[in-house]
Amino acid sequence: MPDLYPLIRPLLRALPAETAHRLTVTALSCGLGPLIAGRGDPDSPSLRQTLWGRDFPNPVGIAAGFDKEAEVPDALLRLGFGFAETGTVTPRPQPGNPKPRLFRLYEDRALINRLGFNSKGLDQTLARLRGRRRTGIVGVNLGKNRDNENAAADYLDGVRRVGRLADYFVINVSSPNTPGLRDLQRRDILENLLRQVVAARDEVAPGTPLLVKIAPDLGDAEREDIAAVADPSGGIDGIVIGNTTVARSPGLRSPHAGEAGGLSGLPLLAPSTALLGDIYRLTGGKIPLIGVGGIASAEHAYAKIRAGASLVQLYTALIFEGPALLGRIKSGLAELLRRDGFSTIAEAVGADHVVASPHRQQAGSRR
Ligand SMILES: Cc1cc2nc3c(=O)[nH]c(=O)nc-3n(C[C@H](O)[C@H](O)[C@H](O)COP(=O)(O)O)c2cc1C
């Protein structure tokens, strides 16, 4: 089937960014994904991986924020993503920030968003997750309501109510658009929060992986803190690295570069991959990492895998390149693995680090 996205792109571009996104999600929910994206080739067996006892057909996932309300996780899996992350969902519905709050930076291949956790709330997400046939891996990214001072209560609520409906949980402490949220990354606060969340997970959904999503803007000391807190002995199963950045690289050219909010896309590739490599080194490769930020090609995804990511996710590049990008990334990744003599993704994880071999031995046997 042909890739129709190049024909649709001018229409989407003419619409306000959020309207274009809504239209895309609606098209996916109507089953139009394969028509728009074309049908890709089957995944190469070298892309398969078992992590946390779950079988990932390929390592490329859709990042949180694309399908905040769990409207289209299965349509995204059918498009060829190896896994889908829904959310961020907050316990109660909340509108988020006033519009406009999403900006396309064409010249920089980037977006700035200050959505502020617009969410229809957990009830709706739960109803949708209950209605699925569960044919692929869908993680649930949990947040807190803006007006709740007691952050832990909201995350606990999320874990308890979602329970076994999630294939994995992500505790999002890194969105820049909810005041105070990123302070939860401070070592003492995070330790306390995660201890409670791990206990709740062990109660309602033992064995469901629990990940924490961090900001790309962490300094050296904060990186060490995160690595210490995320030790697997504490019950954390992985780290998502990372969210959008509040930093603005000096080279940005778009007229929207000065908008407040989180920047995603190409300018985030280098800093988020460097952070990923640091966290891999600091954690000694003992905990699986998901690399996110700026991926727009197979080479970018491969760089994250070699820096230490077992899985990768993307969002922003899809807006600029369309969904056929996914097939190009997957076939390109298989080719890069072949070129470098790796027979599986797991063998390439962390390959750029001198201490890669202990990780590689673990990769096959990790939960
Ligand atoms: C419009 C938009 C909304 C997002 N919403 C969320 C969200 O609700 N929760 C979250 O953890 N990350 C959210 N993100 C961050 C992405 O999941 C991802 O971490 C970030 O965009 C970097 O990846 P990218 O450069 O491939 O887009 C959002 C990103 C964008 C662009």
Side-chain angles (χ1 to χ4, degrees), residues 3-307:
D3 170 11
L4 295 185
Y5 188 77
L7 299 176
I8 298 164
R9 186 168 22 213
L11 165 71
L12 293 177
R13 204 173 155 152
L15 295 170
E18 252 190 270
T19 313
H21 182 67
R22 176 93 313 267
L23 199 64
T24 307
V25 173
T26 305
L28 282 171
S29 68
C30 296
L32 296 178
L35 180 67
I36 297 167
R39 276 197 201 285
D41 297 329
D43 292 347
S44 158
S46 65
L47 300 183
R48 277 193 217 132
Q49 193 176 191
T50 302
L51 267 182
W52 308 297
R54 281 145 178 80
D55 293 328
F56 290 79
N58 71 70
V60 188
I62 179 78
F66 184 92
D67 184 19
K68 281 180 185 276
E69 319 289 353
E71 287 174 87
V72 288
D74 294 295
L76 288 162
L77 294 172
R78 277 194 296 276
L79 268 189
F81 283 103
F83 61 110
E85 190 169 311
T86 182
T88 295
V89 56
T90 57
R92 285 171 290 109
Q94 63 176 32
N97 288 323
K99 294 180 185 171
R101 53 192 182 174
L102 177 58
F103 305 89
R104 288 169 291 209
L105 283 64
Y106 287 104
E107 297 82 349
D108 305 300
R109 298 255 145 184
L111 295 173
I112 290 179
N113 92 80
R114 50 170 179 270
L115 297 172
F117 284 171
N118 52 316
S119 174
K120 298 218 164 70
L122 264 176
D123 284 344
Q124 187 168 102
T125 288
L126 291 179
R128 289 190 171 135
L129 292 176
R130 278 193 198 107
R132 4 182 347 248
R133 286 212 328 270
R134 299 197 78 162
T135 48
I137 296 173
V138 175
V140 179
N141 179 307
L142 299 169
K144 71 173 269 291
N145 281 110
R146 187 186 176 103
D147 61 3
N148 188 357
E149 295 294 308
N150 184 354
D154 276 2
Y155 292 108
L156 290 172
D157 200 20
V159 169
R160 289 196 178 115
R161 289 172 63 197
V162 174
R164 292 183 179 278
L165 291 170
D167 291 308
Y168 68 89
F169 292 111
V170 175
I171 303 301
N172 179 5
V173 288
S174 50
S175 285
N177 302 308
T178 295
L181 193 83
R182 290 179 309 154
D183 297 341
L184 300 174
Q185 295 173 105
R186 273 195 11 221
R187 182 169 180 163
D188 47 341
I189 301 178
L190 189 61
E191 250 167 6
N192 185 30
L193 171 67
L194 293 180
R195 198 176 312 116
Q196 297 178 63
V197 176
V198 165
R201 184 273 314 265
D202 290 347
E203 239 172 69
V204 297
T208 301
L210 185 71
L211 288 78
V212 59
K213 183 165 179 178
I214 63 173
D217 308 311
L218 302 173
D220 288 347
E222 293 163 308
R223 292 171 189 214
E224 283 171 24
D225 283 353
I226 294 284
V229 172
D231 189 280
S233 62
I236 297 301
D237 300 287
I239 311 176
V240 186
I241 304 165
N243 220 308
T244 56
T245 177
V246 291
R248 296 291 182 267
S249 40
L252 294 177
R253 291 180 297 136
S254 161
H256 292 304
E259 292 289 347
L263 176 79
S264 57
L266 213 47
L268 187 54
L269 178 68
S272 61
T273 307
L275 173 63
L276 172 75
D278 266 6
I279 299 286
Y280 182 87
R281 185 177 47 78
L282 290 165
T283 53
K286 283 195 219 123
I287 186 165
L289 307 176
I290 301 185
V292 205
I295 294 175
S297 70
E299 285 74 14
H300 297 161
Y302 190 52
K304 292 213 191 260
I305 289 164
R306 293 190 59 115

